[in-house]
Each structure stands twice: as structure tokens, then as C-alpha cells.
Amino acid sequence: MVSPTSHEAKSTGIRERLGELCYNTGLLNPLQKMRAWWQKDLRILAYHRVMPVPDPERYPFDMELISTSPEEFREQMLLVKERYRPMRLTDVAAAINAGQALPPDAVVITFDDGYDDNYRIVYPILKELGVPATFFISTGHIDSGRPYAYDWLVHMILLTNANRLELPELNMDEPMPATRAERRALAIRVLGNMKEISALTQAAMIRRLETAWNMPSDHAYPADCRPMNWDQLREMRAAGLEIGSHGVNHWMLSKLPREELEREVYDSRNALLRELGPMALLMSYPVGSNRAFDREVIEVTRDAGFDLACSYISGTNLQPASNRYSLYRIAVERYYGKAWFAALLALPGLIGYPTPAHLAYTDTSCSH
Ligand SMILES: [Zn+2]
């Protein structure tokens, strides 16, 4: 989750300008080639939703989940196809297991959560271009069709008639702002604060608001926040795309008692195998920051038979064998232009934010 103010600050940042300069002067391609001589790292791109970017004043859900528009996504995949080696994550796992080096400029495309635009918009583009990808889904939402809880929380804060936001769980009690932009900023703060408390308390807090504000998520299935269904996922898998686990309920795994942690990992695994058949097991930890998974989460994931696991911590993977259960990714945000995206992919260490300060930023900002 990134605040609108930090978008603006970042969109005029020196890294973006440097990226555009490299792109516009034609330096990017030679720089990418030079970098590949000494930096042979695995890049994994992380997306959530791909859809036409709506007007934030009218759109009643979380804008921060929109990674890019369909047109830009197609351009991005064309670039990946032309200048990199797109790989399936299971092939990455197989290479690691065999002790083989990955091809230079290997890129993996991943999606988190399992929104139905992944099927409607992303899947046809990937099929057309022949680019592989992995979709990490929260299996409980695929089963039920219910909206994702964080997105629903944003939705409730944007639309509620309540005068105050009272969240004793987060020590928050303040008047509900009037404008939608202010409410979006408030929702971002709430989501950030929530990451400190247990996953079960988070879930109970959202359910309490649903009751108090009379906005139940289990009676409403708006098209704007719909998960995919198993039939769609079966079709995508038959076409060569990969499906992995993003938990059952999208709960932060490190914030759960052991029994619930095991249930999230094992039940999501069993749902994938039951619905989709035998497969290499891949995981993306919900939220994925360094507070969302820990040693115990990694051990449970490994013991359940998962082959690899992705975090949401920014970076590339120099030796993926050494962090195969905490792979770094490069998040794609909707405000990246063509040049910025190309530069971010070509020179991730320079154009991205791999510094300790950025890791701290990632920790508090990413939310899915
Ligand atoms: Zn997520």
C-alpha cells in the first residue's frame, strides 16, 4: 500500500528521471547488457490487478491494488518477451533443485490475490504473447466468491454513513472525513496500523465494522472486487499458466497461532491439489513484508511440500537457492510509465529501491 502523496513524491523522483533518461537516450539496452555480465539475478515481477484505471472519485474500492492498465500490461509483457527470458516459476524451482544456473535475464511474472480481472484481462494477453505467469490465489475466496477483506475494508471506509471511525483495536477514534480522497488516505493509515495486530483480531475488527455499519461482505459480491473461480483457474492452468497458494483467508501468516498457521498453509495446498490436480507447490505469503512471515512460517511452508515461496520485499534474487522461501520481487505500480518500467526492469538496483530505507518503506507500505 502506497499513499497518494508518496506516489507524487516518487513520480518526480530522481530514480524515475534517471530511468527515463537512460530509456530516451537509448542507453538502457547497452546498460542492461553490461549489467548482465556481472549481475546474474532472477527478477520476479509482482502484480495484483490489471484493469482500466478508474476515476478515484467514483471507484469504491482500493486503487492501490491496480498495478497497471490492460494496454500498459500488454506493452510490459512485450518488453519482457523481447528483451528478457520469461520463465515459469516451476522451471526456476527445477533448476534450483538440479543445481543449475538460471539463464541470464530470467524474469518471472506473478500475480497475488486472484481477482477475476486476472482471468478476463491478463490471461488473454499472456496467451496471445505466450508469456508464462504464476497466479497466487487465496483459496477460501475462490471457494466462496467473497470479496477480499482488506479491499472490503477500504470499500466500507469510502462509503459508510458513520460519523466516526472507532477502532479501539488500533487505538484510532476520529471523525470520518467528508471527501473521498481523505477517506482513501485514512483507509491507507488503517491498513498500515492493522499490520501490527494479530490476523484474527484484524478479521474480527473487519467483521465488527461490517455489522456496525451494516455493510456485510457475505451478501455482496460486487463485480469490481470479484475473485476468480475454479473453472477459470482450471482453464488457465490447462493453457500452461501456474497457480500457487496465497493462503486460504489472506491472513498474515506470522500473525497467527501455530494451529491456524498450519491450517492456512495445508488447507490452501489441499484445495489447490483437489481442484486443479497434481502440481509443483508454490507460495506467496499474504502481505509478504518482513513482518508477514518469519522462520516458523517458512518451516511450515517447506514442510507442507512447497517448493518456493515469494515475499513482497523489493529486490532481485542473486542466488535464489539461498532464499527460495523468501524470494524478493519487484512490485509494479500503476503510475509507472513505459520508460520507468523499462528502466526498473533493466537496472532494478539503480531504478528500484533496494536500500535499507526502501526495505523499511516496503515493510510499512505493501499490504497485499
Ligand atoms: Zn495479497
PDB file of all heavy atoms in Angstrom, residues 108-122:
ATOM      1  N   VAL A 108      10.318 -13.681 -14.049  1.00  0.00           N
ATOM      2  CA  VAL A 108       9.097 -14.413 -13.717  1.00  0.00           C
ATOM      3  C   VAL A 108       7.988 -13.390 -13.463  1.00  0.00           C
ATOM      4  O   VAL A 108       8.211 -12.378 -12.800  1.00  0.00           O
ATOM      5  CB  VAL A 108       9.305 -15.295 -12.470  1.00  0.00           C
ATOM      6  CG1 VAL A 108       7.981 -15.875 -11.988  1.00  0.00           C
ATOM      7  CG2 VAL A 108      10.301 -16.416 -12.762  1.00  0.00           C
ATOM      8  N   ILE A 109       6.805 -13.668 -14.019  1.00  0.00           N
ATOM      9  CA  ILE A 109       5.641 -12.797 -13.822  1.00  0.00           C
ATOM     10  C   ILE A 109       4.736 -13.438 -12.771  1.00  0.00           C
ATOM     11  O   ILE A 109       4.375 -14.604 -12.911  1.00  0.00           O
ATOM     12  CB  ILE A 109       4.830 -12.648 -15.139  1.00  0.00           C
ATOM     13  CG1 ILE A 109       5.742 -12.303 -16.321  1.00  0.00           C
ATOM     14  CG2 ILE A 109       3.705 -11.633 -14.981  1.00  0.00           C
ATOM     15  CD1 ILE A 109       6.437 -10.984 -16.217  1.00  0.00           C
ATOM     16  N   THR A 110       4.371 -12.678 -11.736  1.00  0.00           N
ATOM     17  CA  THR A 110       3.473 -13.222 -10.708  1.00  0.00           C
ATOM     18  C   THR A 110       2.320 -12.266 -10.424  1.00  0.00           C
ATOM     19  O   THR A 110       2.446 -11.050 -10.601  1.00  0.00           O
ATOM     20  CB  THR A 110       4.215 -13.480  -9.377  1.00  0.00           C
ATOM     21  OG1 THR A 110       4.618 -12.229  -8.805  1.00  0.00           O
ATOM     22  CG2 THR A 110       5.418 -14.380  -9.555  1.00  0.00           C
ATOM     23  N   PHE A 111       1.216 -12.871  -9.982  1.00  0.00           N
ATOM     24  CA  PHE A 111       0.030 -12.114  -9.552  1.00  0.00           C
ATOM     25  C   PHE A 111      -0.388 -12.598  -8.174  1.00  0.00           C
ATOM     26  O   PHE A 111      -0.399 -13.800  -7.932  1.00  0.00           O
ATOM     27  CB  PHE A 111      -1.138 -12.325 -10.533  1.00  0.00           C
ATOM     28  CG  PHE A 111      -0.975 -11.567 -11.800  1.00  0.00           C
ATOM     29  CD1 PHE A 111      -0.146 -12.047 -12.806  1.00  0.00           C
ATOM     30  CD2 PHE A 111      -1.626 -10.363 -11.982  1.00  0.00           C
ATOM     31  CE1 PHE A 111       0.026 -11.334 -13.976  1.00  0.00           C
ATOM     32  CE2 PHE A 111      -1.461  -9.648 -13.146  1.00  0.00           C
ATOM     33  CZ  PHE A 111      -0.632 -10.133 -14.150  1.00  0.00           C
ATOM     34  N   ASP A 112      -0.772 -11.684  -7.303  1.00  0.00           N
ATOM     35  CA  ASP A 112      -1.257 -12.045  -5.975  1.00  0.00           C
ATOM     36  C   ASP A 112      -2.761 -11.827  -5.868  1.00  0.00           C
ATOM     37  O   ASP A 112      -3.314 -10.918  -6.504  1.00  0.00           O
ATOM     38  CB  ASP A 112      -0.577 -11.184  -4.899  1.00  0.00           C
ATOM     39  CG  ASP A 112       0.815 -11.698  -4.552  1.00  0.00           C
ATOM     40  OD1 ASP A 112       1.281 -12.659  -5.188  1.00  0.00           O
ATOM     41  OD2 ASP A 112       1.437 -11.127  -3.643  1.00  0.00           O
ATOM     42  N   ASP A 113      -3.391 -12.608  -5.034  1.00  0.00           N
ATOM     43  CA  ASP A 113      -4.778 -12.498  -4.563  1.00  0.00           C
ATOM     44  C   ASP A 113      -5.747 -13.354  -5.372  1.00  0.00           C
ATOM     45  O   ASP A 113      -6.457 -14.170  -4.819  1.00  0.00           O
ATOM     46  CB  ASP A 113      -5.290 -11.049  -4.516  1.00  0.00           C
ATOM     47  CG  ASP A 113      -4.549 -10.202  -3.491  1.00  0.00           C
ATOM     48  OD1 ASP A 113      -3.723 -10.779  -2.747  1.00  0.00           O
ATOM     49  OD2 ASP A 113      -4.764  -8.982  -3.439  1.00  0.00           O
ATOM     50  N   GLY A 114      -5.848 -13.106  -6.705  1.00  0.00           N
ATOM     51  CA  GLY A 114      -6.763 -13.906  -7.521  1.00  0.00           C
ATOM     52  C   GLY A 114      -8.008 -13.162  -7.974  1.00  0.00           C
ATOM     53  O   GLY A 114      -9.099 -13.748  -8.062  1.00  0.00           O
ATOM     54  N   TYR A 115      -7.869 -11.887  -8.265  1.00  0.00           N
ATOM     55  CA  TYR A 115      -9.013 -11.106  -8.792  1.00  0.00           C
ATOM     56  C   TYR A 115      -9.413 -11.593 -10.178  1.00  0.00           C
ATOM     57  O   TYR A 115      -8.569 -12.037 -10.957  1.00  0.00           O
ATOM     58  CB  TYR A 115      -8.640  -9.626  -8.851  1.00  0.00           C
ATOM     59  CG  TYR A 115      -8.763  -8.933  -7.520  1.00  0.00           C
ATOM     60  CD1 TYR A 115      -7.681  -8.839  -6.657  1.00  0.00           C
ATOM     61  CD2 TYR A 115      -9.977  -8.385  -7.118  1.00  0.00           C
ATOM     62  CE1 TYR A 115      -7.797  -8.207  -5.428  1.00  0.00           C
ATOM     63  CE2 TYR A 115     -10.102  -7.751  -5.896  1.00  0.00           C
ATOM     64  CZ  TYR A 115      -9.011  -7.662  -5.049  1.00  0.00           C
ATOM     65  OH  TYR A 115      -9.149  -7.045  -3.845  1.00  0.00           O
ATOM     66  N   ASP A 116     -10.687 -11.419 -10.502  1.00  0.00           N
ATOM     67  CA  ASP A 116     -11.163 -12.012 -11.764  1.00  0.00           C
ATOM     68  C   ASP A 116     -10.680 -11.260 -13.000  1.00  0.00           C
ATOM     69  O   ASP A 116     -10.746 -11.785 -14.102  1.00  0.00           O
ATOM     70  CB  ASP A 116     -12.687 -12.194 -11.767  1.00  0.00           C
ATOM     71  CG  ASP A 116     -13.449 -10.960 -12.176  1.00  0.00           C
ATOM     72  OD1 ASP A 116     -12.920  -9.844 -11.984  1.00  0.00           O
ATOM     73  OD2 ASP A 116     -14.581 -11.099 -12.676  1.00  0.00           O
ATOM     74  N   ASP A 117     -10.125 -10.057 -12.824  1.00  0.00           N
ATOM     75  CA  ASP A 117      -9.505  -9.413 -13.997  1.00  0.00           C
ATOM     76  C   ASP A 117      -8.278 -10.194 -14.447  1.00  0.00           C
ATOM     77  O   ASP A 117      -7.856 -10.086 -15.589  1.00  0.00           O
ATOM     78  CB  ASP A 117      -9.167  -7.943 -13.722  1.00  0.00           C
ATOM     79  CG  ASP A 117      -8.432  -7.745 -12.424  1.00  0.00           C
ATOM     80  OD1 ASP A 117      -7.249  -8.097 -12.364  1.00  0.00           O
ATOM     81  OD2 ASP A 117      -9.054  -7.241 -11.460  1.00  0.00           O
ATOM     82  N   ASN A 118      -7.698 -10.974 -13.541  1.00  0.00           N
ATOM     83  CA  ASN A 118      -6.571 -11.825 -13.937  1.00  0.00           C
ATOM     84  C   ASN A 118      -7.010 -12.797 -15.035  1.00  0.00           C
ATOM     85  O   ASN A 118      -6.249 -13.100 -15.950  1.00  0.00           O
ATOM     86  CB  ASN A 118      -6.029 -12.623 -12.747  1.00  0.00           C
ATOM     87  CG  ASN A 118      -5.327 -11.772 -11.691  1.00  0.00           C
ATOM     88  OD1 ASN A 118      -4.820 -12.294 -10.723  1.00  0.00           O
ATOM     89  ND2 ASN A 118      -5.315 -10.455 -11.850  1.00  0.00           N
ATOM     90  N   TYR A 119      -8.240 -13.279 -14.924  1.00  0.00           N
ATOM     91  CA  TYR A 119      -8.778 -14.186 -15.949  1.00  0.00           C
ATOM     92  C   TYR A 119      -9.267 -13.401 -17.166  1.00  0.00           C
ATOM     93  O   TYR A 119      -8.941 -13.724 -18.302  1.00  0.00           O
ATOM     94  CB  TYR A 119      -9.928 -15.016 -15.368  1.00  0.00           C
ATOM     95  CG  TYR A 119     -10.643 -15.852 -16.409  1.00  0.00           C
ATOM     96  CD1 TYR A 119     -10.108 -17.065 -16.831  1.00  0.00           C
ATOM     97  CD2 TYR A 119     -11.838 -15.416 -16.977  1.00  0.00           C
ATOM     98  CE1 TYR A 119     -10.754 -17.833 -17.793  1.00  0.00           C
ATOM     99  CE2 TYR A 119     -12.484 -16.181 -17.941  1.00  0.00           C
ATOM    100  CZ  TYR A 119     -11.933 -17.382 -18.343  1.00  0.00           C
ATOM    101  OH  TYR A 119     -12.571 -18.135 -19.308  1.00  0.00           O
ATOM    102  N   ARG A 120     -10.027 -12.359 -16.921  1.00  0.00           N
ATOM    103  CA  ARG A 120     -10.686 -11.651 -18.036  1.00  0.00           C
ATOM    104  C   ARG A 120      -9.686 -10.861 -18.881  1.00  0.00           C
ATOM    105  O   ARG A 120      -9.813 -10.784 -20.099  1.00  0.00           O
ATOM    106  CB  ARG A 120     -11.738 -10.678 -17.486  1.00  0.00           C
ATOM    107  CG  ARG A 120     -12.998 -11.347 -16.938  1.00  0.00           C
ATOM    108  CD  ARG A 120     -14.056 -10.323 -16.533  1.00  0.00           C
ATOM    109  NE  ARG A 120     -13.658  -9.508 -15.390  1.00  0.00           N
ATOM    110  CZ  ARG A 120     -13.260  -8.245 -15.427  1.00  0.00           C
ATOM    111  NH1 ARG A 120     -13.200  -7.613 -16.589  1.00  0.00           N
ATOM    112  NH2 ARG A 120     -12.922  -7.593 -14.331  1.00  0.00           N
ATOM    113  N   ILE A 121      -8.696 -10.243 -18.238  1.00  0.00           N
ATOM    114  CA  ILE A 121      -7.821  -9.304 -18.946  1.00  0.00           C
ATOM    115  C   ILE A 121      -6.402  -9.846 -19.112  1.00  0.00           C
ATOM    116  O   ILE A 121      -5.826  -9.802 -20.202  1.00  0.00           O
ATOM    117  CB  ILE A 121      -7.813  -7.954 -18.196  1.00  0.00           C
ATOM    118  CG1 ILE A 121      -9.215  -7.333 -18.260  1.00  0.00           C
ATOM    119  CG2 ILE A 121      -6.759  -6.999 -18.768  1.00  0.00           C
ATOM    120  CD1 ILE A 121      -9.404  -6.092 -17.428  1.00  0.00           C
ATOM    121  N   VAL A 122      -5.838 -10.376 -18.035  1.00  0.00           N
ATOM    122  CA  VAL A 122      -4.431 -10.793 -18.078  1.00  0.00           C
ATOM    123  C   VAL A 122      -4.247 -12.076 -18.897  1.00  0.00           C
ATOM    124  O   VAL A 122      -3.348 -12.156 -19.745  1.00  0.00           O
ATOM    125  CB  VAL A 122      -3.925 -11.016 -16.627  1.00  0.00           C
ATOM    126  CG1 VAL A 122      -2.548 -11.652 -16.629  1.00  0.00           C
ATOM    127  CG2 VAL A 122      -3.922  -9.697 -15.867  1.00  0.00           C
TER     128      VAL A 122
END
